[in-house]
Amino acid sequence: MEDLCISGHQVQVQPVAPAEPFRITTNAPHQMNDPSMTAGRKTLQKWLGRVLRIVITDGRVLVGFFNCTDRDANIVLSMCAEYLVEGQEPRLLGNVMVPGKHIVSISIDEGEPTATNVEVA
Amino acid sequence: MSGSSLCGVVEPADFQAAAATAAAAAAAATRANSSSDRDEWSVSECGFMDPEVQRTMRSGSAAEDITQYPLRGWQEVTGEFIAACQELIPGELAQDMMFGLFEAMSAIEIMDPKMDVGMGFDKSDLPPPSFEAAITMGVIKLDDLTPTELIGIFDALFSCIVSWLEGNSMDQVLFTCLYLHAPAKIKDKPLRVFCTAVRNLIAVIKSIILLAGVNEEEDFQLYGNSTLLSAEKAHPGNIFGYLKEVEDELVRKCKQLTSPEDLMSVVHRLRFMRHLFQVIYQVEQMETSTGTEDRMSEIYKNLNVASELLPLIRKTIDRGTQPVEGSEAPNPIGFSTRIHDRSQPPSFPRSIKIRDRPASFQFLEEMISRFKYACKVTRNKDYFSALNFFIEYSKKSGQCILSRSVLQAIFTANLRMVHGRMPMKQFLRHSVQAFNSPPVLSAKNTVSSDPKVQQQLENFFRYCISLNTFTMFIRICGFNRARQRDKLGRLIENFDAIQVDAARLDSFMNQLANERAMEGNELHATALKHSTHFSTWVLYNCFRAMLIYLMSGFELELYAVHEFLYIYWYPYEFLVGFLVSALTRTENILLAQEEYAEHLSKTQANGGSTSKNRKVAKPRKNKKLQRPYRCEIVFYHALLSLCGGMYKAMGALTKDGRVRLPMDTFDNEEVRYIRRFRPFGSLTSPPPVSYQEFKSIRDHMMLASVEDLYSVAAKHFDQARNILENIQNPDQEVLDLLQIARTNFVVMNVLARGHQKDVKRQPEFDFSKHSYFPIIKLK
């Protein structure tokens, strides 16, 4: 596990200060239960690596693994599938960056398996 | 926080999961073991840690799995997500631990007009019509096309072919033409045959380029819609028969018409296609079968007819239907521009500009003449002249992938024809003989049948082949100009091993010569002596690779002006001199052998009729042999003076304060120097020159006054001018170099006399005349 921590390591020792020039919030194990983390960061941290569904301004739906985001909610998805019409055959795009200004709605594949499945069905 | 209620919903799950995995988490992640805080969750619960997700993320086929989501159900989190993002400071990223620079750089930007193919989609838009859809919609005509319509479609298809050869994806250019999707269903005969020909042409061209293997991703898109790529049922060998048949029918029709001009233009296009197809097809056949000689003359004939037809076609472009203003389609009927957009790999460019018709025919015209030029490669029977040809060809025709591939095809086919089953080894053997004619390679000389000698020679040439250096050098010249440099860098390192082996072979021959001399076998001893044949040959080729490598940096605009000094210094001080001495040495060896052979023949045949015959033949042969490398040597002398001129000029300009130097804090000249000459570092011969050596030589030069330096540079340029002026039948390159030498001579003289003494502006270096040497311009 040590080798996976490298990217986040120096971040962890840095104090949480708004004046900090460069900061990364990641879901690397050592950052998982950092008590100094704000609630929003914790939420994002938890969602990283999950599957997101993003509807954008021209009506297309993008489904992919949530990889990265920033203050403006620009979102990077990996293994993204693009649906012109949901339910029809998608086109597979790979890595995409969705600019925050084009995002209409975001959903996450989550919830209690039983309850949400019933809800969707 | 707007999404706090949602948070509440998920929390119990957190607790459950935390409890369930408590033991495992405690063992796996020591940091997570103290979790009792309400807001915390265990590592195993994080999306990334989900074994299911991990498995899909890592497996190659994961992309298919994304379509199975949602596994649990979509839960709208827009507000919460955006609110959470706003907690991040500017520049802060929330990123998955597996997310890195590569993922960031390879992401395509949604809603970017250049990258996003799906952009501009409207749910009410009809999908781009396929062939069948176009028929039912009635937007495509299958029968009774007018000559005007035919010309329009044919010309548009030629444009598509050209755009494809320029590196675009065939799906995005060629197969936007619906007629190409199902040529068999077209009822109009000329159109059907033409489209079938195009389909087959694509397959044949692709095969030539694949076999030649000098393409890079930026030159040529090999892949495309595979179902369309498989050639139509028609065998490519029958295509020109079909084309001929249609042509004849149309010509008969023309005779009945009062104004057959339009129809004749159709015939010209069909005929051009027939000859072009024949050329391409013959080239491909040449690569796989024998009978090269007949094929070459066939190819040449077809090329001539094709080039005669092109002016006729260009004159009649306006007889066809023209593309609609503002439309992406190259022709009003038959094209469905965005039909393959969604099947393209996501990183492909969204929109492609197809070449306009006049430019496309110009491209074809130039391509035909490039093919003609490529055919001349068959005249080069040895490595020395073949390499020269390839270097020259690359300079003139390096931008067209098909021309380059055709050259490779003709060359290898020709090699096979001349040298039989073991072409490259025989070719190299023959080449060394042609280059400096070592007596051991001559079949006439009895020493060549010595098993020891034979064994050594066999080993050497086998080594050359297994290292692949010589073959690679020729192939590298087939790549596009920008890629050559990189490949040459690696090739140069390869030369070292061959140099060592060649030197070993030479010393073996010398040793054997001594032995034979001791034995009293004078004939063998003389034949084996003074043999630096093999190492000279290897070194000469190595020097050439080095010179091209170094000078190509100017063409690719890699060097900063303040670096010019050492770049020109190296060939001035070493490389070009080495080349001259290698060639001079070779000439001397040849002359010595010639004399010796003369001497032998005189002693062998005392009078008699044979000597009489020989005398008649000799003078001509002698003349030819006397100075076989004179042209090259003279040219290199001119290069030497030009390099010297540039080196001294750069020294003078630098000392004069006219060259912008990098700021000291950001500069390390030694690092740059080492980097520029890195590929040479691994060679034993010529030995690498350290930065310190260079520095001391330069410092010594810089001791002279600025004026003196300028006038020394002027002298070098004057010398170059002198040499170049004396070259008979100069080609364009010599004339260009001459102009450079003249102009720079004047500029250096002006500067030596103190012109613009107070204006310390950096002069302009104009490489437009020659890619290696600039004209120095004072502003």
Side-chain angles (χ1 to χ4, degrees):
Chain A
M1 196 111 301
E2 266 313 303
D3 54 332
L4 291 177
C5 302
I6 297 165
S7 63
H9 192 70
Q10 73 247 71
V11 173
Q12 192 208 2
V13 291
Q14 283 168 7
V16 187
E20 226 176 307
F22 184 66
R23 192 194 141 102
I24 292 174
T25 298
T26 146
N27 53 357
H30 64 87
Q31 258 198 18
M32 286 310 288
N33 289 307
D34 187 347
S36 61
M37 197 86 84
T38 60
R41 286 199 176 95
K42 281 185 188 171
T43 314
L44 289 175
Q45 200 182 37
K46 190 176 66 171
W47 285 341
L48 282 166
R50 298 269 182 89
V51 175
L52 286 189
R53 168 182 175 272
I54 301 176
V55 181
I56 58 172
T57 43
D58 70 354
R60 277 181 288 164
V61 176
L62 304 166
V63 176
F65 291 94
F66 174 35
N67 245 335
C68 182
T69 193
D70 65 1
R71 187 183 163 80
D72 299 324
N74 298 313
I75 299 175
V76 178
L77 299 178
S78 61
M79 286 170 221
C80 179
E82 171 203 50
Y83 295 86
L84 294 185
V85 178
E86 231 173 343
Q88 283 184 6
E89 194 58 21
R91 178 172 128 94
L92 299 169
L93 297 182
N95 286 332
V96 301
M97 197 279 279
V98 193
K101 61 179 176 190
H102 292 299
I103 293 176
V104 175
S105 85
I106 306 166
S107 317
I108 191 157
D109 182 22
E110 203 190 48
E112 288 176 72
T114 47
T116 34
N117 273 353
V118 171
E119 192 185 295
V120 168
Chain B
M1 208 164 119
S2 61
S4 58
S5 61
L6 283 170
C7 254
V9 176
V10 257
E11 265 158 22
D14 293 343
F15 279 122
Q16 278 173 9
T21 56
T30 41
R31 278 168 220 265
N33 61 359
S34 64
S35 71
S36 56
D37 195 315
R38 204 183 68 94
D39 280 340
E40 289 183 5
W41 51 84
S42 75
V43 169
S44 64
E45 206 201 341
C46 142
F48 169 71
M49 284 296 156
D50 187 336
E52 184 66 22
V53 174
Q54 243 184 352
R55 200 169 50 78
T56 39
M57 281 186 76
R58 303 260 158 93
S59 67
S61 60
E64 288 152 39
D65 292 327
I66 194 73
T67 59
Q68 296 169 3
Y69 286 87
L71 296 176
R72 302 183 215 176
W74 294 127
Q75 192 166 5
E76 157 103 34
V77 290
T78 319
E80 194 183 348
F81 193 98
I82 288 171
C85 284
Q86 270 153 15
E87 284 181 26
L88 302 173
I89 55 170
E92 178 180 354
L93 296 177
Q95 63 176 46
D96 190 275
M97 59 189 286
M98 296 303 280
F99 182 79
L101 184 63
F102 175 78
E103 284 80 7
M105 295 308 292
S106 63
I108 55 172
E109 190 175 329
I110 294 295
M111 298 302 276
D112 177 297
K114 284 204 196 70
M115 288 196 255
D116 184 4
V117 178
M119 199 182 130
F121 162 77
D122 185 340
K123 274 182 194 165
S124 59
D125 269 0
L126 291 165
S130 65
F131 183 70
E132 283 75 18
I135 295 172
T136 37
M137 284 157 68
V139 291
I140 190 169
K141 231 173 137 181
L142 293 184
D143 207 356
D144 294 327
L145 283 98
T146 64
T148 314
E149 286 166 335
L150 282 176
I151 294 170
I153 296 168
F154 289 179
D155 287 0
L157 274 172
F158 280 123
S159 307
C160 289
I161 293 174
V162 169
S163 304
W164 175 51
L165 289 177
E166 284 182 325
N168 292 307
S169 136
M170 69 175 92
D171 282 358
Q172 278 172 307
V173 288
L174 278 162
F175 289 134
T176 58
C177 176
L178 294 174
Y179 287 119
L180 290 185
H181 289 211
K185 290 189 184 155
I186 304 169
K187 296 193 186 78
D188 188 88
K189 197 169 174 189
L191 184 61
R192 182 175 68 231
V193 171
F194 190 87
C195 289
T196 317
V198 173
R199 275 284 290 271
N200 281 279
L201 188 70
I202 298 168
V204 180
I205 289 179
K206 201 183 140 179
S207 137
I208 290 179
I209 291 176
L210 263 178
L211 273 173
V214 288
N215 57 309
E216 294 280 355
E217 56 176 341
E218 68 272 20
D219 297 322
F220 190 66
Q221 297 294 336
L222 274 179
Y223 303 102
N225 194 323
S226 49
T227 49
L228 289 177
L229 238 185
S230 56
E232 281 271 296
K233 270 172 214 146
H235 183 264
N238 298 333
I239 295 292
F240 20 90
Y242 298 151
L243 283 163
K244 183 90 180 72
E245 197 185 310
V246 180
E247 252 175 64
D248 293 344
E249 273 172 35
L250 291 185
V251 169
R252 273 198 293 278
K253 236 190 225 171
C254 281
K255 282 179 186 151
Q256 294 156 11
L257 292 174
T258 43
S259 57
E261 288 84 5
D262 279 359
L263 202 56
M264 261 332 271
S265 305
V266 176
V267 174
H268 288 150
R269 280 160 176 79
L270 285 164
R271 193 170 288 161
F272 174 73
M273 179 49 102
R274 173 160 62 95
H275 291 290
L276 179 69
F277 190 93
Q278 218 151 352
V279 169
I280 305 272
Y281 180 67
Q282 298 278 12
V283 170
E284 196 222 11
Q285 289 298 301
M286 219 160 55
E287 283 188 284
T288 49
S289 65
T290 47
T292 311
E293 204 138 12
D294 300 340
R295 287 227 156 80
M296 282 310 295
S297 59
E298 263 308 284
I299 289 172
Y300 216 80
K301 252 187 260 162
N302 283 305
L303 284 173
N304 278 333
V305 184
S307 61
E308 278 164 25
L309 282 166
L310 272 167
L312 296 176
I313 295 176
R314 286 175 79 167
K315 254 191 279 174
T316 52
I317 290 175
D318 51 0
R319 283 179 192 269
T321 49
Q322 298 300 313
V324 179
E325 193 90 20
S327 155
E328 282 176 32
N331 194 49
I333 50 168
F335 287 81
S336 179
T337 43
R338 300 188 67 180
I339 187 159
H340 287 116
D341 274 4
R342 294 189 61 78
S343 62
Q344 290 299 302
S347 55
F348 268 49
R350 192 176 85 90
S351 67
I352 281 174
K353 270 244 168 324
I354 290 178
R355 275 260 202 158
D356 66 41
R357 294 177 187 181
S360 302
F361 284 117
Q362 185 174 350
F363 180 97
L364 289 173
E365 201 163 354
E366 285 162 8
M367 190 173 80
I368 298 284
S369 61
R370 284 194 293 264
F371 287 174
K372 276 193 204 169
Y373 179 29
C375 290
K376 294 188 179 139
V377 76
T378 53
R379 292 182 198 164
N380 301 292
K381 305 287 186 211
D382 64 300
Y383 192 83
F384 174 78
S385 55
L387 184 66
N388 281 344
F389 185 89
F390 269 80
I391 291 170
E392 202 57 23
Y393 190 84
S394 170
K395 275 187 204 155
K396 288 179 183 150
S397 317
Q399 67 285 19
C400 171
I401 174 67
L402 185 57
S403 311
R404 282 173 359 224
S405 304
V406 163
L407 175 66
Q408 297 281 337
I410 295 176
F411 178 68
T412 36
N414 188 52
L415 215 62
R416 212 173 33 225
M417 189 185 75
V418 179
H419 299 284
R421 275 188 64 229
M422 293 275 283
M424 205 56 204
K425 207 173 81 186
Q426 289 305 322
F427 178 66
L428 288 182
R429 213 185 148 102
H430 170 78
S431 301
V432 182
Q433 200 173 353
F435 184 69
N436 54 17
S437 149
V440 283
L441 286 182
S442 144
K444 280 185 221 150
N445 202 309
T446 46
V447 77
S448 64
S449 57
D450 185 320
K452 252 193 193 166
V453 172
Q454 270 182 343
Q455 185 60 41
Q456 291 288 336
L457 287 173
E458 176 70 19
N459 285 349
F460 173 70
F461 285 110
R462 200 179 284 164
Y463 193 56
C464 285
I465 294 301
S466 70
L467 276 183
N468 218 4
T469 310
F470 291 98
T471 355
M472 257 332 265
F473 197 1
I474 287 212
R475 271 204 56 207
I476 286 172
C477 296
F479 279 90
N480 72 48
R481 304 286 291 165
R483 293 274 186 163
Q484 284 183 18
R485 182 180 159 88
D486 189 34
K487 291 176 197 297
L488 278 175
R490 269 170 281 155
L491 177 85
I492 289 168
E493 293 167 14
N494 267 349
F495 265 110
D496 197 46
I498 295 199
Q499 277 177 17
V500 172
D501 206 53
R504 199 191 45 74
L505 182 63
D506 280 337
S507 71
F508 168 81
M509 296 296 174
N510 276 324
Q511 201 187 332
L512 205 63
N514 290 341
E515 279 173 30
R516 291 292 141 88
M518 301 272 276
E519 289 165 16
N521 189 341
E522 203 216 327
L523 193 66
H524 279 195
T526 339
L528 290 161
K529 237 198 209 156
H530 55 68
S531 50
T532 49
H533 292 99
F534 295 97
S535 36
T536 307
W537 182 63
V538 174
L539 275 173
Y540 168 77
N541 286 299
C542 179
F543 295 153
R544 293 207 68 181
M546 290 167 78
L547 188 65
I548 300 174
Y549 174 84
L550 209 55
M551 297 313 246
S552 68
F554 289 112
E555 190 180 346
L556 302 173
E557 297 176 37
L558 299 178
Y559 304 135
V561 170
H562 59 85
E563 289 180 297
F564 286 4
L565 188 126
Y566 43 86
I567 304 293
Y568 283 116
W569 163 78
Y570 191 80
Y572 165 67
E573 197 90 27
F574 304 103
L575 261 189
V576 182
F578 290 163
L579 278 163
V580 171
S581 76
L583 286 176
T584 321
R585 187 159 51 170
T586 306
E587 263 189 4
N588 291 340
I589 292 174
L590 285 175
L591 284 179
Q593 272 163 10
E594 183 71 8
E595 269 167 35
Y596 183 67
E598 214 169 304
H599 165 75
L600 269 191
S601 65
K602 262 184 202 156
T603 47
Q604 268 172 5
N606 288 322
S609 58
T610 44
S611 81
K612 224 180 192 176
N613 283 345
R614 286 203 135 192
K615 281 247 164 73
V616 182
K618 238 175 198 169
R620 240 192 80 229
K621 203 183 156 203
N622 245 347
K623 217 176 198 176
K624 198 190 152 206
L625 246 178
Q626 225 163 25
R627 297 221 158 269
Y629 300 112
R630 206 179 58 97
C631 286
E632 273 87 1
I633 291 175
V634 169
F635 186 72
Y636 281 125
H637 271 297
L639 281 196
L640 191 70
S641 301
L642 281 170
C643 287
M646 282 309 298
Y647 163 54
K648 300 276 162 70
M650 289 317 296
L653 289 167
T654 310
K655 192 168 183 183
D656 201 9
R658 286 178 194 262
V659 173
R660 269 196 302 274
L661 295 171
M663 279 171 74
D664 270 346
T665 34
F666 302 118
D667 187 33
N668 187 336
E669 196 183 49
E670 183 169 5
V671 170
R672 275 188 280 112
Y673 175 91
I674 291 170
R675 166 128 196 101
R676 291 305 183 202
F677 297 105
R678 179 168 294 156
F680 305 170
S682 53
L683 293 173
T684 11
S685 174
V689 188
S690 72
Y691 175 69
Q692 276 67 32
E693 276 174 80
F694 156 69
K695 208 163 168 296
S696 73
I697 294 174
R698 179 186 54 186
D699 291 349
H700 182 76
M701 170 189 74
M702 293 290 224
L703 290 178
S705 73
V706 170
E707 287 74 23
D708 284 351
L709 282 171
Y710 279 130
S711 31
V712 174
K715 237 177 246 165
H716 277 288
F717 285 123
D718 193 41
Q719 216 167 24
R721 180 191 59 79
N722 215 351
I723 299 167
L724 290 164
E725 272 176 353
N726 285 321
I727 292 179
Q728 279 156 5
N729 309 321
D731 59 5
Q732 193 54 45
E733 190 183 6
V734 170
L735 294 175
D736 288 342
L737 286 174
L738 189 57
Q739 196 192 336
I740 293 165
R742 271 188 196 137
T743 320
N744 288 349
F745 168 68
V746 173
V747 172
M748 285 302 118
N749 270 336
V750 164
L751 286 170
R753 268 183 261 120
H755 174 71
Q756 285 189 354
K757 210 168 173 24
D758 309 318
V759 199
K760 301 295 186 198
R761 254 184 318 211
Q762 183 170 301
E764 192 189 321
F765 295 90
D766 176 8
F767 282 93
S768 58
K769 274 278 162 205
H770 195 272
S771 51
Y772 294 174
F773 297 101
I775 289 177
I776 302 172
K777 286 181 175 168
L778 298 173
K779 279 177 250 178

